[in-house]
Amino acid sequence: MSTLVIVESPTKARTIRNFLPSEYRVEASMGHVRDLPQSASDIPAELKSSEWAKLGVNVDADFEPLYIVPDDKKKIVRELKSALKGVKELILATDEDREGESISWHLLQILQPKVPIKRMVFHEITSEAIKGALKNCRQIDDRLVHAQETRRILDRLVGYTLSPLLWKKIAWGLSAGRVQSVAVRLIVNRERERRAFKSGSYWDLKANLYAPKQEFPVQLVSVGGTNVATGKDFDEATGKIAKGRKVLLLDEAAAIALKERLNGKVWSVSNLEERPTTRKPSPPFTTSTMQQEANRKLRLSARDSMRVAQALYEQGYITYMRTDSVHLSQQAIAAARQCVTKMYGNNFLSKEPRQYVTKSKGAQEAHEAIRPAGETFRTPQETGLSGRELALYDLIWKRTVASQMADAQLTMLSVQLTVEDAIFRASGKRIDFAGFFRAYVEGSDDPDAALEEKEITLPPLKMGDHPVCRELNTVGHETQPPARYTEAALVKMLESEGIGRPSTYASIIGTICDRGYVQLVNNALIPSFTAFAVTSLLEEHFPNLVDPSFTSKMEQTLDDISTGSVEWLPYLKKFYSGEQGLSGQVKSRDSLIDGEAARTVHLEGLDDDVKVKIGKFGAYIQVGEGDRTVNSSIPQNLTPSDLVPDKIEMLLKQKLEGPDQVGIHPETNEPIFMMVGQYGPYVQLGQATDAVPKPKRASLPKGMQPEQVTLDVAVKLLALPRTLGAHPDTGNRVFVNTGRFGPYVCHVKGNGDKDDNRSLKSTDDPYTITFERALELLAQPKVLRGAAAAKVLKSLGKHPDDDEAIEILDGKYGAYVKHGKINVSLTKEQSVDTLTLEEALSMLATKSKSSKSTSKRTKAASSETKKTTTKKTATKSTAKAATTKTATKTTKKTTTKKTAATK
């Protein structure tokens, strides 16, 4: 008899299968198999009349969660139950964190196995780790399950209790979240700071001096014994020098006068300083620091970096990627030191093995930092990886190896030069010993290039030398507002404030972007006007829920539940049902919140008669009252901090006086107008009339300003869409146009089929692209926007019917054959290495013929399953346990029964 092992993903299953004996069968659960209902259709029929079922948590019955098996997981559950038949043992090998523990517990509840059960955990997927984990299996940890379940219930209570209030008071479809709302508030507050910022101006002097064989720059630091003002001396609220700062503020005239006075005077070296310093390597990566560095160096979002890291872990290249520990095992330290000796030499090795101490609260030292997997580390070149996987593995490898390297030895250089009563200074840096810099320089992709940039040399000078001034210039400066958060900066802030946990940062940022509270522009997180309105409402009426310290305490409580030092049920009751509980707060505040006020966004610096409001179709400006009210939509690309009086005047002018006319079209003799709409500025040919309700329009290219649009430019923009010809296969139109995501070519399919689009490459010009080039682009495989291209594992050849490629790709759910739009997954018996073109053609033909009938059968089976489940739920306690957690008797029968404190 065999042993069944269940993991989360097919990739992880394939990797683990290589390290287990032949009698072990490995299957994937595809993540969670149960969850709280996402919509009313998910609620079992016998519970649809229960009001609490809509919430998904029975707050009157000890916060009993309602668990259901989503439709897309029912087939997986059936397959797992089938796989369980005839095995002698079940091993649950999901990830080692709380989420993984929760997945295993849910599997146990729904499968109800009659065979012995073990829980296997490991930090890396290597032969040694898997064999060691098999010898040290344990039972499911109820405390971890409670902590994860409490987190899930808390998130549901906050989201489903507050969100309807936002729909009612601000706009339909908005959402609130226990952690997401705090993250949005951080971003909104930064935008408020930018809007309140008052810029200040100051001037200084810079010179280029020449000493024997080298020219070097110097900068003015003081005049007449008083330091010259710099940006740090200004008050952000006033744009003037901060109170108490005794500095000399130079304006343009004073700077020019000083320059003229110093021209031709003798420069003397008045002070020299050399200060040795040491730089120690950074600790190995935690989830947070990996996300930050991947964002800075690889431009990966937090979500993408976690996806790539997950793939690397499941393929056995790195250790577990959800960790807040910087600890390294002795095996890892030895492997890293071996790499240093082999690749850089003994003199680059630290004298003693380095072990780092985790400073973050709740960190688990039993876990390791993120590092290359195994007893020896494969170099990036030895992995055979490519693309983002190679880039991230390279980053992790370098950071880990550098952690065991010698300190970098530097000398900080400073020279002070005097001319008349003015003092200038030059700074430099000399790298005496590169140490760990040789392998890894934080924030840089190329250590060698980074070393050259870090080393700023100065000429050999001594006291009393007189360098020659070759150039002396005045330089004007404007103080800058606080920078917007990047993903890296926000992750760092969330971690420092104790908001969320490392494994949740990616989903937090992804959620606030997906829901329209924040948009990512040039790696900067910019809040929407809706984010301002929601944040203001929560700050005024539910301040605790957007208070970082309150949220941090919640995270600590969840950590305490996982260790058993806090009981989960009393905590939930106090949070939701107590005197100051969330439920009571929402009910009492409902009547106090004025919807009109909640929909009004307050921005500092706006005139009293100008209001920004949230409407059904987005944010708009309102001026005047009653019959004299004028409304104008705010373009989506106009951010709250950029909504200045000039922009408001332009939007209102278009509304009151009509759009500006660019000129008359030379061919149609119609006027061309410059307009601003929801998606930004555009040109329009003619006026909208009953006969022509939608005149021809063209958006301005990215980066082009309305004032740059001439008549010739407008005519060129309106030339799109441009018909290029008839497609040789269908005879239908092929045209080029530009849309929200840039220029594209389109093949109009007709007959109800969806049009086929492809984005133009950066080298293609929509105004000059040829028909042949358009056909070439349309023939290329389509890549979904925002989706990572699947890795091609093997090319089998071309299809005899259309000469299109047939390939085997590595997808989210395992290997599959792809031909055009048809995908067919490989079975367990089929191998990537041995699959032939003939076998692939047979698979594709079968899939093509049966796709429609399969769809019908699936719907019928789903309906029948739902009926059967409903019937069983009413009669059997074991089925009821699969739907709700109220069946305590069934739970007690399992080997992972809950403690008495659960009920």
Side-chain angles (χ1 to χ4, degrees):
M1 297 178 71
S2 62
T3 296
L4 177 63
V5 180
I6 301 180
V7 297
E8 297 95 329
S9 75
T11 303
K12 187 175 178 181
R14 285 199 303 272
T15 309
I16 288 176
R17 202 173 286 132
N18 296 328
F19 305 128
L20 291 173
S22 58
E23 64 269 21
Y24 283 77
R25 178 179 177 180
V26 187
E27 297 292 342
S29 70
M30 314 303 287
H32 275 284
V33 292
R34 292 200 309 181
D35 197 7
L36 302 177
Q38 298 299 315
S39 63
S41 61
D42 291 334
I43 300 173
E46 72 276 11
L47 295 175
K48 285 187 182 293
S49 59
S50 302
E51 192 65 28
W52 69 267
K54 297 176 184 177
L55 181 63
V57 179
N58 193 344
V59 296
D60 297 322
D62 289 346
F63 292 86
E64 200 69 48
L66 170 62
Y67 288 125
I68 59 97
V69 179
D71 287 342
D72 62 339
K73 292 300 176 72
K74 288 178 179 177
K75 180 181 177 182
I76 295 169
V77 170
R78 289 198 300 270
E79 290 175 348
L80 291 176
K81 286 184 176 180
S82 176
L84 193 58
K85 294 176 182 178
V87 302
K88 63 179 181 180
E89 185 179 50
L90 171 63
I91 296 179
L92 300 169
T94 52
D95 289 343
E96 60 178 334
D97 58 6
R98 296 174 194 168
E99 192 77 22
E101 205 74 15
S102 179
I103 292 173
S104 283
W105 182 82
H106 280 288
L107 284 168
L108 195 60
Q109 301 306 304
I110 204 165
L111 295 178
Q112 296 290 306
K114 307 298 182 184
V115 295
I117 302 147
K118 292 180 181 177
R119 174 80 171 102
M120 183 171 78
V121 294
F122 39 83
H123 187 63
E124 59 184 348
I125 304 178
T126 61
S127 177
E128 297 78 10
I130 299 302
K131 290 175 183 177
L134 272 176
K135 296 176 182 177
N136 295 282
C137 290
R138 59 171 173 80
Q139 297 300 308
I140 288 178
D141 189 332
D142 287 334
R143 296 174 302 178
L144 295 180
V145 174
H146 283 321
Q148 178 60 29
E149 192 168 59
T150 306
R151 180 188 296 275
R152 185 73 182 94
I153 292 172
L154 273 176
D155 289 341
R156 174 55 66 97
L157 293 176
V158 173
Y160 275 45
T161 305
L162 278 180
S163 296
L165 183 67
L166 299 181
W167 304 344
K168 184 177 179 181
K169 302 299 181 180
I170 299 178
W172 174 259
L174 295 179
S175 66
R178 181 181 63 86
V179 179
Q180 79 171 47
S181 296
V182 184
V184 170
R185 186 194 183 198
L186 289 172
I187 297 171
V188 167
N189 281 342
R190 180 60 58 88
E191 202 73 3
R192 287 169 174 166
E193 292 171 5
R194 289 175 61 85
R195 188 166 183 88
F197 179 82
K198 298 294 187 296
S199 180
S201 61
Y202 62 97
W203 288 72
D204 61 18
L205 273 65
K206 290 185 178 179
N208 283 328
L209 304 184
Y210 182 78
K213 299 181 180 180
Q214 186 177 340
E215 190 171 86
F216 61 101
V218 295
Q219 184 168 355
L220 179 68
V221 292
S222 70
V223 178
T226 303
N227 289 338
V228 175
T230 63
K232 65 182 180 181
D233 296 311
F234 284 80
D235 186 339
E236 295 181 354
T238 63
K240 300 183 182 301
I241 297 295
K243 290 182 179 180
R245 298 285 176 88
K246 296 180 179 180
V247 292
L248 174 63
L249 178 61
L250 294 178
D251 57 17
E252 184 176 13
I256 292 173
L258 179 60
K259 172 189 172 182
E260 292 175 350
R261 179 162 69 86
L262 299 181
N263 263 331
K265 298 299 190 294
V266 176
W267 294 66
S268 301
V269 175
S270 54
N271 189 36
L272 289 167
E273 183 179 346
E274 290 192 7
R275 181 172 54 85
T277 186
T278 299
R279 283 278 304 277
K280 295 182 178 298
S282 299
F285 280 135
T286 62
T287 302
S288 167
T289 54
M290 182 196 71
Q291 290 175 358
Q292 294 173 51
E293 193 73 338
N295 182 248
R296 283 192 293 259
K297 296 175 74 167
L298 307 180
R299 284 293 183 262
L300 289 179
S301 67
R303 183 183 280 178
D304 284 342
S305 65
M306 290 305 290
R307 283 174 178 164
V308 177
Q310 178 90 33
L312 290 174
Y313 165 68
E314 291 180 348
Q315 295 175 76
Y317 288 107
I318 64 171
T319 53
Y320 193 53
M321 66 289 157
R322 292 186 180 93
T323 176
D324 46 15
S325 172
V326 292
H327 176 78
L328 285 178
S329 67
Q330 292 304 312
Q331 171 188 308
I333 291 174
R337 294 179 72 80
Q338 183 182 10
C339 284
V340 176
T341 303
K342 181 178 178 181
M343 302 193 69
Y344 304 105
N346 284 326
N347 57 326
F348 281 90
L349 191 66
S350 62
K351 293 182 179 179
E352 299 293 335
R354 295 184 190 271
Q355 188 58 273
Y356 296 85
V357 178
T358 304
K359 296 180 180 179
S360 60
K361 294 180 180 179
Q364 302 177 61
E365 290 298 339
H367 292 177
E368 273 196 88
I370 303 172
R371 63 166 176 85
E375 294 181 347
T376 58
F377 294 166
R378 284 170 283 189
T379 64
Q381 295 75 23
E382 293 170 340
T383 61
L385 295 168
S386 61
R388 297 192 298 183
E389 288 185 354
L390 175 61
L392 187 59
Y393 180 84
D394 181 67
L395 203 62
I396 294 168
W397 186 91
K398 287 177 177 175
R399 178 92 165 208
T400 307
V401 171
S403 73
Q404 296 302 316
M405 294 180 72
D407 296 344
Q409 305 293 333
L410 300 88
T411 298
M412 311 305 293
L413 310 171
S414 176
V415 57
Q416 182 175 292
L417 300 109
T418 302
V419 51
E420 295 280 297
D421 60 343
I423 295 177
F424 287 72
R425 181 175 295 140
S427 298
K429 184 189 299 179
R430 185 177 68 239
I431 298 176
D432 303 314
F433 175 63
F436 72 91
F437 282 163
R438 185 55 61 197
Y440 180 82
V441 179
E442 193 166 7
S444 174
D445 294 321
D446 184 352
D448 290 330
L451 288 178
E452 292 177 9
E453 292 174 5
K454 280 182 172 293
E455 191 163 53
I456 305 169
T457 60
L458 294 175
L461 295 168
K462 59 182 183 293
M463 295 289 291
D465 281 354
H466 302 293
V468 177
C469 179
R470 287 190 167 177
E471 189 177 21
L472 181 61
N473 296 311
T474 59
V475 182
H477 305 274
E478 293 284 333
T479 57
Q480 298 299 312
R484 291 186 172 108
Y485 283 109
T486 62
E487 287 202 31
L490 183 61
V491 166
K492 187 174 182 179
M493 175 60 75
L494 292 173
E495 184 179 42
S496 66
E497 293 285 346
I499 300 168
R501 283 295 177 258
S503 59
T504 65
Y505 296 151
S507 62
I508 292 169
I509 297 173
T511 297
I512 62 179
C513 289
D514 292 344
R515 294 182 178 172
Y517 287 124
V518 174
Q519 57 178 323
L520 185 63
V521 180
N522 296 327
N523 207 36
L525 296 167
I526 304 175
S528 63
F529 290 95
T530 304
F532 270 72
V534 170
T535 298
S536 295
L537 184 149
L538 295 178
E539 285 175 332
E540 182 177 356
H541 298 283
F542 307 96
N544 276 351
L545 293 180
V546 286
D547 182 358
S549 63
F550 180 80
T551 307
S552 177
K553 290 176 183 176
M554 291 178 71
E555 292 292 349
Q556 185 58 52
T557 302
L558 291 170
D559 289 342
D560 293 339
I561 291 172
S562 71
T563 62
S565 56
V566 170
E567 294 293 335
W568 65 279
L569 186 55
Y571 177 71
L572 280 177
K573 287 181 177 179
K574 180 180 179 182
F575 173 80
Y576 189 76
S577 308
E579 292 182 7
Q580 297 297 318
L582 178 63
S583 178
Q585 286 188 49
V586 171
K587 290 176 182 177
S588 63
R589 291 286 177 179
D590 191 340
S591 60
L592 300 177
I593 300 174
D594 178 61
E596 190 68 21
R599 288 189 291 273
T600 303
V601 178
H602 299 282
L603 297 176
E604 186 174 332
L606 291 186
D607 294 338
D608 293 339
D609 62 334
V610 177
K611 296 178 181 177
V612 177
K613 293 195 170 185
I614 305 300
K616 185 177 180 181
F617 302 106
Y620 64 94
I621 298 169
Q622 184 179 90
V623 178
E625 295 181 359
D627 296 337
R628 301 179 61 185
T629 300
V630 177
N631 298 333
S632 178
S633 295
I634 299 174
Q636 287 187 353
N637 62 350
L638 190 60
T639 66
S641 70
D642 297 329
L643 189 64
V644 294
D646 289 347
K647 297 284 187 182
I648 294 173
E649 184 179 352
M650 180 190 72
L651 294 171
L652 293 175
K653 180 182 177 183
Q654 175 178 304
K655 193 73 175 182
L656 294 170
E657 303 175 12
D660 291 334
Q661 184 172 314
V662 178
I664 302 295
H665 198 287
E667 297 176 8
T668 66
N669 288 324
E670 293 177 279
I672 299 176
F673 299 105
M674 171 56 62
M675 307 184 76
V676 179
Q678 185 180 7
Y679 301 114
Y682 62 93
V683 290
Q684 176 176 297
L685 182 63
Q687 295 275 19
T689 63
D690 291 339
V692 187
K694 293 183 178 181
K696 192 171 187 180
R697 296 171 176 174
S699 298
L700 268 60
K702 188 175 180 180
M704 180 179 286
Q705 300 301 318
E707 54 269 19
Q708 296 175 290
V709 178
T710 62
L711 178 59
D712 290 340
V713 171
V715 170
K716 183 178 179 181
L717 292 174
L718 289 166
L720 299 178
R722 186 166 66 91
T723 299
L724 300 175
H727 198 282
D729 292 344
T730 64
N732 292 337
R733 177 180 173 226
V734 174
F735 67 88
V736 61
N737 200 3
T738 185
R740 279 186 69 188
F741 303 109
Y744 64 95
V745 291
C746 177
H747 171 207
V748 181
K749 289 294 188 72
N751 297 324
D753 292 335
K754 190 175 181 180
D755 292 346
D756 196 17
N757 300 326
R758 296 292 186 279
S759 294
L760 267 61
K761 308 299 182 184
S762 59
T763 54
D764 295 318
D765 185 341
Y767 303 101
T768 60
I769 188 172
T770 64
F771 180 47
E772 291 71 24
R773 173 58 177 160
L775 292 178
E776 183 183 331
L777 289 171
L778 289 167
Q780 295 177 3
K782 190 166 187 177
V783 178
L784 295 177
R785 182 171 299 277
K791 181 179 179 181
V792 177
L793 300 176
K794 185 179 181 182
S795 294
L796 298 175
K798 293 186 177 180
H799 199 289
D801 293 344
D802 55 16
D803 272 350
E804 285 193 30
I806 298 178
E807 298 172 322
I808 304 178
L809 283 75
D810 185 16
K812 181 179 180 182
Y813 303 118
Y816 64 96
V817 174
K818 181 174 182 63
H819 167 241
K821 294 184 178 180
I822 301 177
N823 301 331
V824 189
S825 296
L826 269 66
T827 65
K828 295 166 189 165
E829 293 75 23
Q830 292 172 321
S831 167
V832 174
D833 297 328
T834 59
L835 191 73
T836 64
L837 176 61
E838 290 71 23
E839 290 172 327
L841 288 170
S842 176
M843 293 165 62
L844 292 166
T846 304
K847 175 68 178 286
S848 180
K849 290 178 183 178
S850 63
S851 58
K852 291 184 180 179
S853 59
T854 301
S855 177
K856 292 179 181 179
R857 287 198 304 271
T858 302
K859 289 181 180 178
S862 176
S863 175
E864 188 62 31
T865 301
K866 187 175 287 187
K867 292 177 183 178
T868 304
T869 303
T870 303
K871 185 177 179 181
K872 287 184 178 181
T873 304
T875 58
K876 294 185 179 181
S877 61
T878 53
K880 189 173 182 181
T883 310
T884 69
K885 244 180 59 186
T886 54
T888 54
K889 291 182 180 180
T890 304
T891 306
K892 288 179 180 178
K893 289 180 182 179
T894 69
T895 57
T896 55
K897 65 181 181 178
K898 290 200 166 187
T899 60
T902 305
K903 300 294 170 191

